[in-house]
Every structure is written in C-alpha cells, then in structure tokens.
C-alpha cells in the first residue's frame, strides 16, 4: 500500500510541475461567492505545497487575507492528467531561498515582478488525481 501512495504523490507532483497554470478559487472578500484566478504555480515537494505569486494590489490578496480557504485544479492537456484539490489552506509566505529558486527556475520571466509581489502557499491533505478517466484520491504523507 505504501508504494501506491508514494507513486501517486510522485504523479501528483509531476502533473502540477507540468502545468503552466493553475486555477485557484478563493472566496470573495465579503465571503458571498467563489472567485477563480489563473496563477503560475510550482510544487514544493519539501514543503508538500503549491507556491504561487500575486501582485500585492490584486483582489486575490485581499480575499486570501479575509479567508484562508481555497480550492485549485490543474488544466488538462494531452494525457498528463489533472490534479484537483477541494480543501486547501492558502496563506501568504516569505519564501525561502530554495522556494524562490524553485519558482524562478520554472518561471524565469517573473523575476522582475518578484520585488512587487507576494508569495503564497497552498497546503492540503489530499488531492484527486485523474489520469485516463480514472480518479484516485491521494493522501499527502509527511
């Protein structure tokens, strides 16, 4: 059973890393409706979280400050598969040097925006991973 969990976590990481964009849903600032934005995300396997960056002036930053809950999904391209997380916690973080490097490695074009942006982390306990029409719930292990 452990081998299956590890393989599934590895596949989850591969799908997130292959995705150029991730749809993140938060609640509007007043909490009355979901609000979805497309962000550039990268999987931090050491922290077992998804990192993304946003302009400090973006509405999403105020929404996150008001409500720490989120959901997210990767788009489906080719046979890569899809990751969908229904229950995530999202919070502003101060990225470590390693996290900044990880993000800049995947998205080097964002380096000039980093000084005017905030970093956020999506943490979660489980994710639905769909590959070839088959969905498996992956539990994130420590």
């Amino acid at each position: 059973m452990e081998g299956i969990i590890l393989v599934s976590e590895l596949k989850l990481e591969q799908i997130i890393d292959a995705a150029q964009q991730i749809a993140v849903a938060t609640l509007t600032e007043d909490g009355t409706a979901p609000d979805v934005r497309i962000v550039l995300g990268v999987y931090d396997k050491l922290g077992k979280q998804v990192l993304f960056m946003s302009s400090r002036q973006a509405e999403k930053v105020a929404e996150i400050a008001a409500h720490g809950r989120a959901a997210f999904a990767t788009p489906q391209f080719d046979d890569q598969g899809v990751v969908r997380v229904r229950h995530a916690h999202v919070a502003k973080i101060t990225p470590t040097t390693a996290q900044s490097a990880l993000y800049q490695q995947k998205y080097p074009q964002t380096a000039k925006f980093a000084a005017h942006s905030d970093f956020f982390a999506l943490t979660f306990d489980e994710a639905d991973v769909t590959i070839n029409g088959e969905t498996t719930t992956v539990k994130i292990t420590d």
Side-chain angles (χ1 to χ4, degrees):
M1 186 75 167
E2 289 255 345
I4 293 172
I5 292 171
L6 292 175
V7 169
S8 296
E9 279 189 53
L10 178 61
K11 190 60 180 172
L12 176 140
E13 177 185 343
Q14 290 170 342
I15 293 170
I16 293 173
D17 282 344
Q20 291 300 308
Q21 301 170 336
I22 296 174
V24 177
T26 55
L27 288 172
T28 55
E29 200 170 349
D30 64 8
T32 60
D35 197 5
V36 179
R37 299 277 197 321
I38 303 300
V39 299
L40 304 177
V42 63
Y43 189 71
D44 170 15
K45 71 179 179 181
L46 292 176
K48 301 205 180 218
Q49 59 192 347
V50 174
L51 307 174
F52 69 93
M53 189 171 65
S54 184
S55 167
R56 291 184 181 122
Q57 290 78 33
E59 284 180 50
K60 180 153 292 303
V61 174
E63 293 169 358
I64 291 168
H67 310 282
R69 295 175 296 171
F72 68 93
T74 62
Q76 182 164 358
F77 293 108
D78 303 322
D79 294 331
Q80 182 59 38
V82 175
V83 170
R84 181 172 136 177
V85 173
R86 298 172 198 233
H87 303 284
H89 177 76
V90 60
K92 180 180 166 182
I93 63 165
T94 300
T96 65
T97 302
Q99 288 171 324
S100 293
L102 181 68
Y103 195 86
Q104 296 305 324
Q105 180 182 359
K106 185 171 181 182
Y107 304 109
Q109 72 277 18
T110 64
K112 62 185 172 186
F113 302 111
H116 308 288
S117 298
D118 289 326
F119 274 85
F120 297 87
L122 290 157
T123 55
F124 51 99
D125 295 327
E126 64 181 36
D128 291 335
V129 178
T130 303
I131 301 170
N132 297 326
E134 296 289 327
T135 301
T136 303
T137 299
V138 177
K139 305 265 186 212
I140 308 304
T141 59
D142 289 332

